[in-house]
Amino acid sequence: MFFRSISLFFLAGLAEILGGYFIWIWLRDGASVVWGLTGGIILIAYGVIPTLQNFPDFGRIYAAYGGVFIIMSILWGWWIDGVTPDFYDWLGTFVALIGTVIILWYPRKGQEKEAAGQ
């Protein structure tokens, strides 16, 4: 369950960043409309992937995706755009990761009922 969840977070983050990046290339760099359409299709996939998670709460899932998105965006900027993260980029990324873990996996009273849909 844990690895499935992490894999889905990674896939959704990749789809969000890649889709947005393709649209960026289309609109900002003057690439063909095919780049924009491909980016739009990838962004639709991004909208579907989170629904495959087994967590019962939409808001918590999307809050956690926000943290994952921050981490993946910093890495994307470093590896693809060549922008080396500084201390504050890493500090913010670490804070986002801690927040994501707390949101998703901190035990809550009554969570068993929530997961069962009661």
Side-chain angles (χ1 to χ4, degrees):
M1 176 74 142
F2 176 79
F3 292 109
R4 180 178 189 270
S5 177
I6 296 298
S7 296
L8 288 171
F9 276 113
F10 175 78
L11 286 174
L14 186 61
E16 183 176 13
I17 294 168
L18 188 61
Y21 191 69
F22 280 12
I23 290 175
W24 176 283
I25 290 170
W26 169 48
L27 294 175
R28 299 279 301 253
D29 295 343
S32 159
V33 71
V34 172
W35 285 89
L37 292 173
T38 303
I41 291 167
I42 293 170
L43 287 171
I44 290 170
Y46 158 70
V48 172
I49 294 168
T51 67
L52 304 175
Q53 292 280 10
N54 288 327
F55 295 97
D57 184 62
F58 175 84
R60 286 188 185 141
I61 284 293
Y62 272 82
Y65 271 111
V68 172
F69 179 74
I70 290 168
I71 294 162
M72 291 184 71
S73 295
I74 292 296
L75 293 174
W76 181 277
W78 187 16
W79 294 335
I80 303 300
D81 292 334
V83 177
T84 304
D86 62 19
F87 172 79
Y88 298 101
D89 292 326
W90 290 123
L91 179 62
T93 299
F94 179 73
V95 169
L97 178 61
I98 295 300
T100 298
V101 168
I102 291 169
I103 289 168
L104 282 181
W105 290 297
Y106 188 82
R108 291 174 171 85
K109 188 175 182 175
Q111 195 169 19
E112 299 81 26
K113 288 182 181 179
E114 200 176 285
Q118 298 177 352

